[in-house]
Amino acid sequence: MTNAEFNLLAAFLAAPQRVLTREQLLNLSRLHNDEVYDRAIDVQVGRLRKKIEPPGTQDHLIRTERGAGYVFTAVVEIVR
């Protein structure tokens, strides 16, 4: 998993079951502030999906909300 994918996953885990816009995901997952197109996040989400979702599954861990962004659908429990 690349640093960008790890940071993206961390952003999803910090806000489970909430819609995160592309802009929010870019801000939360970038290591530096280079000029990046918001569609670049779509590529990163696609790569992350391939790594964390079982092949052929119908239930996606990362769901696309058209016109809004992405949602990490799994329940996340913080253990202290």
Side-chain angles (χ1 to χ4, degrees):
M1 185 174 289
T2 66
N3 283 339
E5 292 164 349
F6 179 82
N7 291 337
L8 183 60
L9 180 58
F12 279 125
L13 292 173
Q17 301 176 342
R18 288 188 7 218
V19 176
L20 296 173
T21 66
R22 286 181 178 91
E23 185 176 330
Q24 288 172 314
L25 289 169
L26 281 171
N27 290 335
L28 293 168
S29 66
R30 288 287 160 199
L31 296 175
H32 43 77
N33 289 331
D34 288 342
E35 280 190 42
V36 180
Y37 296 104
D38 65 345
R39 293 295 182 172
I41 204 69
D42 298 336
V43 174
Q44 291 294 328
V45 168
R47 290 178 182 161
L48 182 59
R49 279 180 174 150
K50 287 179 184 177
K51 291 181 179 179
I52 66 171
E53 293 180 352
T57 185
Q58 295 297 323
D59 298 326
H60 296 288
L61 290 174
I62 302 171
R63 184 179 68 230
T64 302
E65 290 292 327
R66 298 218 184 270
Y70 296 96
V71 176
F72 189 74
T73 60
V75 175
V76 176
E77 182 180 333
I78 299 173
V79 179
R80 295 179 190 243

